[in-house]
Amino acid sequence: MSDWLKVIEGDAPLIVAFPHVGTQLADVGHLFASEWLARRDADWWVDELYAFAADLGATLVSTRISRSVIDLNRDPSGASLYPGQTTTELCPTTTFDGEPLYSGEAPGEAEIAHRRALWFDPYHAALQAQIDRLRAVHDRVVLYDAHSIRSHVPRLFDGELPQFNIGTNGGATCDPTLAAAVEHICAASGESHVLDGRFRGGWTTRHYGQPDKGVHAIQMELAIRGYMDEPEVPSEANWPPAFDPARAAAITETLSQIMKAARTFALQES
């Protein structure tokens, strides 16, 4: 579709979205205090981790634009998704750890609007188009928003994050049967999990999840330790580690079960 937006169409009523796997800084890279910091908080290798989903007939939507340029999973109005809790903005000004991303002036309203028009709006237009395409032939569609984050980010959450963080915004974005099926698979894996904990679902999940209209959205935030070795202190020398399918095999099996359960749910008559 473009050099920064990739859509792989499938026929199953399942869409997997990857809003944070990108590392491209486009034409604004020179504005950042550190290009490495501007790329560090990507959801590293998540699109590689879920590549198997295409073989299940899922549609995959991903972007190469870094979340530091514009975060495609934030409310475009700028409103916080987690009032009272630390979070990053539509056009982030800090890293997850609080380091400033810009050495000079942060993006103003005009620049934010420019970035929205270039990247945010086309990404979500593509996502909506895929939802509409699949809803035209299926009673139900599952939109699965795929994420990952370091296991320890004290500024954002206390202690070690559970391995599987399922987000449905308190049950508002999908049928409880789907959430229960995903939670059951996570529990059976033997790894830690939580439903609607620190990460209850970002703008994508909340915006598109309309169970009464046949669109069931669910977010999965993985602790990165599940598929690669996390250094105690990430640095330019050690971060990110390379993706190793063998290292990720155990969690890939669990995610495959989740994808199959989501597809089965969507194929059931509503």
Side-chain angles (χ1 to χ4, degrees):
M1 180 173 289
S2 73
D3 63 346
W4 66 270
L5 179 62
K6 183 177 181 180
V7 178
I8 299 174
E9 291 189 348
D11 295 327
L14 175 61
I15 300 168
V16 186
F18 306 100
H20 292 156
V21 296
T23 57
Q24 290 182 11
L25 303 179
D27 59 351
V28 298
H30 64 286
L31 299 175
F32 291 104
S34 161
E35 291 195 3
W36 178 73
L37 281 180
R39 295 186 172 104
R40 189 189 65 190
D41 293 333
D43 294 3
W44 286 104
W45 316 129
V46 167
D47 49 345
E48 298 279 352
L49 189 62
Y50 285 93
F52 69 85
D55 293 332
L56 299 178
T59 292
L60 312 182
V61 181
S62 61
T63 172
R64 309 322 306 176
I65 294 297
S66 168
R67 67 184 300 155
S68 295
V69 175
I70 188 163
D71 191 329
L72 304 179
N73 198 35
R74 292 291 180 269
D75 189 322
S77 74
S80 175
L81 295 171
Y82 296 99
Q85 294 178 290
T86 301
T87 188
T88 51
E89 309 98 319
L90 179 64
C91 290
T93 56
T94 65
T95 68
F96 288 165
D97 294 320
E99 302 108 321
L101 282 171
Y102 294 89
S103 52
E105 190 173 335
E109 289 186 12
E111 175 62 18
I112 292 172
H114 177 65
R115 294 184 192 185
R116 272 194 61 185
L118 280 180
W119 298 301
F120 188 100
D121 294 344
Y123 172 82
H124 285 283
L127 207 50
Q128 185 65 62
Q130 294 306 314
I131 292 171
D132 293 344
R133 177 180 69 85
L134 292 169
R135 274 290 287 120
V137 292
H138 296 284
D139 288 341
R140 292 174 169 175
V141 171
V142 171
L143 172 59
Y144 181 100
D145 207 34
H147 297 264
S148 72
I149 191 170
R150 285 178 286 139
S151 300
H152 298 271
V153 186
R155 182 168 174 256
L156 299 183
F157 50 82
D158 295 330
E160 183 174 79
L161 192 70
Q163 179 59 75
F164 297 99
N165 298 267
I166 309 159
T168 68
N169 199 28
T173 66
C174 72
D175 189 289
T177 304
L178 174 60
V182 173
E183 190 174 18
H184 175 76
I185 293 167
C186 292
S189 75
E191 301 290 345
S192 56
H193 75 283
V194 65
L195 174 63
D196 291 317
R198 174 61 177 88
F199 298 103
R200 301 189 303 274
W203 191 77
T204 299
T205 305
R206 302 184 197 193
H207 177 70
Y208 295 104
Q210 301 181 63
D212 58 329
K213 296 183 179 179
V215 182
H216 300 261
I218 191 165
Q219 177 176 296
M220 179 64 78
E221 185 86 56
L222 299 173
I224 284 177
R225 67 179 183 277
Y227 62 95
M228 65 186 192
D229 297 330
E230 295 185 53
E232 187 172 342
V233 180
S235 70
E236 290 187 66
N238 63 26
W239 190 262
F243 182 71
D244 179 359
R247 169 67 174 82
I251 199 169
T252 300
E253 173 57 29
T254 300
L255 296 174
S256 177
Q257 292 177 36
I258 290 172
M259 290 289 96
K260 291 174 182 176
R263 184 181 62 179
T264 296
F265 167 83
L267 288 169
Q268 294 172 350
E269 294 184 8
S270 57

